[in-house]
Amino acid sequence: MAKVKRVYTFGDKKAEGNTGMKNLLGGKGANLAEMNLTGVPVPPGFTITTEVCTEYNEIGSDKVIDLLKEDVEAAIKNIENIMGSKFGSRDNPCLVSVRSGARVSMPGMMDTVLNLGMNDDAVLGLASKTGNPRFAWDSYRRFVQMYGDVVLGLKPESKEDVDPFEEIIEALKEERCLENDVDLTVDDLKLLVTKFKKAVKDKTGHDFPTDPWEQLWGAIGAVFNSWMNQRAIYYRQINNIPEEWGTAVNVQAMVFGNMGKKSGTGVAFTRDAATGENLFNGEYLIDAQGEDVVAGVRTPQQITREGSLRWAKLAGKTEEERVAKYPSLEEVMPEAYHELFNIQKKLEDHYGDMQDLEFTIQDGKLWLLQTRNGKRTGGAMVKIAMDLLKEGKIDEKTALLRQEPNKLDELLHPVFDKKALANAKVVGKGLPASPGAATGQIVFFADEADKYTNSILVRIETSPEDLEGMNIAKGILTARGGMTSHAAVVARGMGKCCVSGAGNISINYKNRTMKAGDITFKEGDWISLNGSIGEVYESKIATIDPQMGGDFGEIMELAEKYTRMDVRTNADTPKDAKVARKFGAKGIGLTRTEHMFFEGDRIKAMREMILAENEKDRRKALDKILPYQREDFEGILEAMEGYGVTIRLLDPPLHEFVPHEKENQSEMAEELGISPEEVKQIVDSLHEFNPMLGHRGCRLGNTYPEITEMQARAIIEAACNLKKKGIDAKPEIMVPLIGTVEELKMQEEIIRIVAEEVFKEKGIKVDYLVGTMIEIPRAALTADKVAEVAEFFSFGTNDLTQMTFGYSRDDAGKFLPIYLKKGILNDDPFQILDQEGVGQLVRMGTERGRAARKDLKIGICGEHGGEPSSVEFCHSVGMNYVSCSPFRVPIARLAAAQANIR
Amino acid sequence: MAKVKRVYTFGDKKAEGNTGMKNLLGGKGANLAEMNLTGVPVPPGFTITTEVCTEYNEIGSDKVIDLLKEDVEAAIKNIENIMGSKFGSRDNPCLVSVRSGARVSMPGMMDTVLNLGMNDDAVLGLASKTGNPRFAWDSYRRFVQMYGDVVLGLKPESKEDVDPFEEIIEALKEERCLENDVDLTVDDLKLLVTKFKKAVKDKTGHDFPTDPWEQLWGAIGAVFNSWMNQRAIYYRQINNIPEEWGTAVNVQAMVFGNMGKKSGTGVAFTRDAATGENLFNGEYLIDAQGEDVVAGVRTPQQITREGSLRWAKLAGKTEEERVAKYPSLEEVMPEAYHELFNIQKKLEDHYGDMQDLEFTIQDGKLWLLQTRNGKRTGGAMVKIAMDLLKEGKIDEKTALLRQEPNKLDELLHPVFDKKALANAKVVGKGLPASPGAATGQIVFFADEADKYTNSILVRIETSPEDLEGMNIAKGILTARGGMTSHAAVVARGMGKCCVSGAGNISINYKNRTMKAGDITFKEGDWISLNGSIGEVYESKIATIDPQMGGDFGEIMELAEKYTRMDVRTNADTPKDAKVARKFGAKGIGLTRTEHMFFEGDRIKAMREMILAENEKDRRKALDKILPYQREDFEGILEAMEGYGVTIRLLDPPLHEFVPHEKENQSEMAEELGISPEEVKQIVDSLHEFNPMLGHRGCRLGNTYPEITEMQARAIIEAACNLKKKGIDAKPEIMVPLIGTVEELKMQEEIIRIVAEEVFKEKGIKVDYLVGTMIEIPRAALTADKVAEVAEFFSFGTNDLTQMTFGYSRDDAGKFLPIYLKKGILNDDPFQILDQEGVGQLVRMGTERGRAARKDLKIGICGEHGGEPSSVEFCHSVGMNYVSCSPFRVPIARLAAAQANIR
């Protein structure tokens, strides 16, 4: 029997493993091997396999060390040979890092111990080699602390308890009256090392290990132990990671960029991460460690000469200054630069994607520490993928799968000018309710949104009455409400920037002021909103309009080629419909008719209808609304000519249409010629304890069938009128909020009767469908019966989520953030479809519906229709389409294509 | 091949069919046959089988008549022979009735044609035989109308259109200036017959058939046709009745009780329908038709002499008067009486239940027209079943199955004195929210309920703050709210009379007045409520307390013997627990802890807790509540010693505990030493759009774990204290409103930690369970995961119904009554568990839960736990117990036993 191979070495462009061995070597180990194999100089080291982790848990530490000893010793020797240094040596110490590395990255496990091998001898060697005793002693101090914490278990379990090492540092700083760690002297650091070791002795009863080998075995054991700690077990449970996978251990030589003028460290990108341009770029510092680049204490220099010249121009440096103080790596160390340049090309070709590299130059020798796919902006994401495709480096499917659909959003909305933004003061933080940037003057009332050319509507919360004002304002800020509050939903539909639920903001309508922290803003004051991250800024900030380049169009064409599902849009106006069509929407999945009732005179007729005391008066008022509705429908149906347009019948409770403030009630009373008391009484009678579960949806149409008659008539008349003009209108009439098939049946009968009447009157017929929204759990449970009547289903996952979880989206702000923080929920179910619970009902509804009616058309029109993971779910249950707000259409199209490719 | 038998005759105590042939002869036909076979004189006739109905629909009218002709002619001959009359004869006409009769009674089908065989000859024969030309011609007129409407199709389809015959009558009455039909003269009636026939000719183009045979075949065809009419088809669809069942046709001789002094008609009961006493009784009239007895124009006489004597005493008649004007049948026609007496004994023995008989005496000859199981009061129901059991006429299972569980309710609550009630004026009508009778003086505020010895609390709606007052008041009347409104639920729990949602009542708190229709009531005015039927009366009405006889106890013992499921109770106080235990409850299925927070000083501590700005202050307030809670739990656990007590942790949203009126807010501010503005601000911040879907249930415990800690501590301490006293307390701690297992897990961990702490402190351990309420659809959908943590499930079907239907029970009053009226819903799902939708989730939750944990204890604690059909469903899904309010416990026990027997 061949001996089981437990240790895989790498270094000097050779490796025993490769990228295909992730299961055995873990992700990190496999990548380190692969980098070597691509001919990249990587600090040498070795990986102990994941199988050893399982052995460790079975047979224990001692026996495993016996099994490993020989191989590990040989592997360390290999490191020493390549690096020309020696483990534990006073002259030329070899230090290593020890890291865990499972198949997938797993927080909760031991992360890293650096500088292992350090002891009272090695510290002197490092001090003399770097000429920097402070650095050497600080490294020692850090090593003892890190090793003490993670290997020897001194780190307290609870975050509230204090790390004993931190306690010692704080005490010393207090004694020395120092503010920062950097103010500690070399002697202080030496003292800390002594005190740290004593603390270890006190807590564990053992001396801190000075023998590098003892240190090494301890660290290896700690990695294996961490696989079975509580946090790791919990993480595996919730992420369905099997225990038997185990973790590997990676041991790798440390390299130092702070060993003098011939050393340095930096990061580089193979292409421009901001623009996607095919331009090698990056920053470095001479005689520095990685932390120094990140910390921003010293100004980092550019890697390429070209980059350096550009930078100097922007930073206002003369060429003399640049060459003297900020020369490029290309100029300073041309050899290392050229090696790096070649390596980056090789790595990008190898991985087929833009790489983000970390490197260190130790005494003139270049070492690559890491390479990974580089993070990038949405624009760069699209450009890089299309460039790589054109360069023949990836295929179409790969180009599509490379896209993060949500990032397309950046391409569709205005953004702040970066320089202007740098000086902006954040005064508030809310939810990123609708992306984009907006700057304008504060108004507090929707009907005053036109007071300024650029206004920001600031409300405690918005209501349907505010619709017109929201449309006029450049952005919307609310103090209350979540990601699916009225403001958020409407704003996303409009593609308008919105920050909702900004908790630190309090609004005083009476004084027309808004207080954000300590600052009080008046009406007319300038503020700015970043709806993509939920920030509120103090003043005016310049914005830049989105540039939709050719790459965007090309990636969308590719998506079209690989998709199965259609993408529709949710749109209430011809304008929205046209925008969405431009973005590639193939039809409308949801037209809310109620928004139409708020414009101009319509609301009067609507209120007259609500106030009617009998059917006759109600019909009279409805007759006034009919022409408006017909006109609206004509516009929308025409804008979506040739595609299906799903029109939802009246849905919200009637109280949303009546004024709740005294002043407005008086106005309404005057208009309608009744007393304000009567108006108040009616408004009060419409009050509901739980309007979400109240008299709304088809419950309106079934208690007041004349409303359905009017709406059905408006839709069918509109379609007939268009057909006469040669326009192909395809209305799909959707009955909302049904829970029983009888509710649908009764509405369907009314619709069919009205349609026949209209056909007779107009002497023309049009095709139309009657279907329903599945948004009540009971409708999904009885979908087989519902489908006997419905010609299509549209899952209203907003309401379905509300009722399946029993969460009111308007009220969930009180507990949902806490649930997310405590891990009771992984995601906000109003943003990401809850596949485990709500998804069961969606799947059940789809399967049972199709069982009763094979060709049942099925879609989704909740907010989830534009969320990539939810779109993938919709694809997997076999929906015909998803529908989302116009500005999410490209995202959904991409997600739909990806789902189909996967 | 033997000839198919299509016609089954009966008469003269012989019959070709019997009661076992319901499928072939329909219910009515089989019963008529059976009555003959028991030796009862029934007007002779025959039944055409249901199979012929199918043939009729396949081969058509003409061919079916060919098949039937011979047999029907023979059967008519048989009738003529027995009756000594002749079809179509002028001297001695034989008239028949024709009725449809399917396996089950089916509205929507043709009902009855009476007096068939009538024509210009027969009318003269009838006139001379009865000596009553007016009756004969009125019968003729009615026959033409009935036959025209249902056989010849003159009855208009829509209820809004007018029956052509009614139109003719109205016109004639107008001409004659008459108000009532009875004022029409014989000549008028003759004229009507002529006009009716003309109308038939005008509408159908054919003469009205005068040949009795033509009439008969027409009527038989009409019955078969009616099986396929729209209403019948619709009825079959919604009741799942297969089309192939078909309907039978019953043709039977007419008999007349108005043929002089030797004729008469009446109804009789084999036992007393009000008391259950084994006493033959009934009423009759000489020379009268059945309608006369019902119409109440003449005072009906008693059948037995004993009954007649009793009646005379009550009615204040002298013996002379009685004998002269109101003699009993026993005295007037002793022979017929004795035959009837023997028959009733025979029939009761035969059917094994109290019978309700209809009879007619034609010219001295007794005919039984109908016998059926008699309707009876709850008390009679119990007594008759137990008597029959003791008489050996039925067995125990039959006695149990004879009970309508809901009727037991009558035995458990006070009722109005019948005589007093007769004079009471109904001033309002609401929902029968909680049964019983109550009389008292009006109070409008809960804290004034003790103003009068007998008070009725009148509110627009009640809230938890009103609890104490509701307990004091004799009855509760609300203007708003449904069967599961706060008032209704609490009142049922208390066994207190309540009428809710009385729409015609408007309340003015300021003036302390209530307007009911035109009448205005002031505080202190007397009113009375009947919670069993939802009526409100103007004044004081005497009530009678329930008498629980030995029969009640005996039937309950029987139920115990035959049940599988336990019945628990929902009880929040030791008092309720004791009441329920007396009624046979085996444990508590739901203790709501929140009601406890309203008593006396507790609410102050509760409010202090809600107003606390941080955890520390909250804990301080909770420490004050702890002793109260512990005391409550000790009381309840002790009252239910030996049985499980499910205690639900805090459930309602916090805003229910804070005052909403300005005055009370000021009071609270003073108590807590803060400003009224601060109180208002906090109260406002607790406002939720949809509190039902808001921050409540375990969402409170998971955001404020210290509340759960306090409650868990109070429960476990209570159990430990009791155990030290030797009392066996079995707490089951129930986490409410979970939607994800993580929510439960987090609460469970807190509870277990607290329990261990308490055990250590007390030096004693008790058994306890941790489980959850399944009331969120998602919890049912993921019940397998939930059961990994939960030791028991209790289905909260109130909330589960709310969320599965998307109905807020507080708001459904706006559409639910209309839905029930329009037939969109068959039942109020808050009263009768919706097995089709909500039931799916209950079944799914049970099956998935048990799959994960075999011994999972499962129960129901919603309002449905006391509703018989829902109890049967709970049995069928395999629940361990149902739980209901104390006064429903006997009902649920009976239903549980019945479910098990079935």
Side-chain angles (χ1 to χ4, degrees), chain B residues 520-593:
Chain B
T520 300
F521 294 83
K522 308 183 305 296
E523 184 180 272
D525 286 348
W526 284 85
I527 54 168
S528 299
L529 308 176
N530 186 341
S532 306
I533 56 172
E535 282 183 349
V536 185
Y537 309 93
E538 192 180 18
S539 53
K540 187 174 178 173
I541 307 174
T543 59
I544 298 167
D545 274 343
Q547 306 293 333
M548 278 180 226
D551 290 321
F552 174 80
E554 286 170 13
I555 202 90
M556 282 295 113
E557 263 174 51
L558 268 192
E560 188 64 31
K561 184 170 166 186
Y562 286 97
T563 199
R564 178 188 64 72
M565 272 197 306
D566 282 342
V567 175
R568 292 187 174 195
T569 191
N570 300 348
D572 303 345
T573 63
K575 188 183 138 205
D576 285 352
K578 281 175 199 154
V579 169
R581 197 165 183 158
K582 237 184 350 200
F583 283 144
K586 294 189 169 173
I588 294 183
L590 176 63
T591 289
R592 285 168 288 245
T593 56

Side-chain angles (χ1 to χ4, degrees), chain A residues 37-239:
Chain A
L37 294 179
T38 56
V40 171
V42 175
F46 60 91
T47 303
I48 304 174
T49 69
T50 56
E51 291 173 354
V52 179
C53 184
T54 308
E55 287 181 311
Y56 181 91
N57 287 315
E58 281 167 13
I59 60 177
S61 169
D62 290 349
K63 289 191 184 160
V64 164
I65 292 176
D66 283 348
L67 291 171
L68 289 172
K69 204 156 188 280
E70 198 178 320
D71 291 347
V72 168
E73 280 173 2
I76 288 282
K77 187 104 232 144
N78 184 45
I79 295 174
E80 289 173 338
N81 288 344
I82 294 170
M83 296 303 290
S85 58
K86 205 157 165 46
F87 214 38
S89 147
R90 171 174 235 164
D91 299 332
N92 193 14
C94 173
L95 302 185
V96 297
S97 63
V98 178
R99 292 180 169 92
S100 62
R103 284 194 212 179
V104 292
S105 170
M106 250 182 67
M109 274 171 55
M110 195 192 87
D111 190 19
T112 302
V113 175
L114 297 176
N115 296 330
L116 187 139
M118 189 67 102
N119 56 22
D120 294 347
D121 286 339
V123 70
L124 300 177
L126 190 66
S128 79
K129 276 194 76 175
T130 57
N132 188 345
R134 195 181 186 290
F135 163 72
W137 281 97
D138 194 41
S139 298
Y140 195 7
R141 184 276 295 180
R142 284 171 195 268
F143 166 64
V144 177
Q145 178 166 4
M146 211 181 277
Y147 197 91
D149 275 342
V150 303
V151 179
L152 304 178
L154 268 68
K155 187 175 206 149
E157 274 299 304
S158 156
K159 278 182 188 165
E160 275 135 46
D161 294 334
V162 187
D163 182 305
F165 301 114
E166 291 299 332
E167 223 161 10
I168 294 168
I169 298 178
E170 288 312 308
L172 186 68
K173 270 157 65 184
E174 206 164 303
E175 208 183 306
R176 301 272 194 274
C177 301
L178 300 176
E179 279 223 357
N180 300 312
D181 290 10
V182 290
D183 300 328
L184 292 165
T185 64
V186 173
D187 285 339
D188 289 338
L189 293 167
K190 287 182 182 172
L191 182 60
L192 280 179
V193 169
T194 314
K195 280 178 184 277
F196 281 8
K197 287 181 176 171
K198 185 168 177 300
V200 168
K201 175 85 194 245
D202 289 348
K203 293 260 172 176
T204 66
H206 299 283
D207 284 321
F208 186 87
T210 52
D211 172 22
W213 284 103
E214 191 183 342
Q215 291 174 0
L216 181 61
W217 291 119
I220 290 170
V223 172
F224 288 141
N225 283 331
S226 73
W227 178 254
M228 294 305 289
N229 75 23
Q230 277 307 312
R231 267 170 316 159
I233 291 172
Y234 181 73
Y235 184 86
R236 282 201 296 275
Q237 269 175 357
I238 60 174
N239 289 285

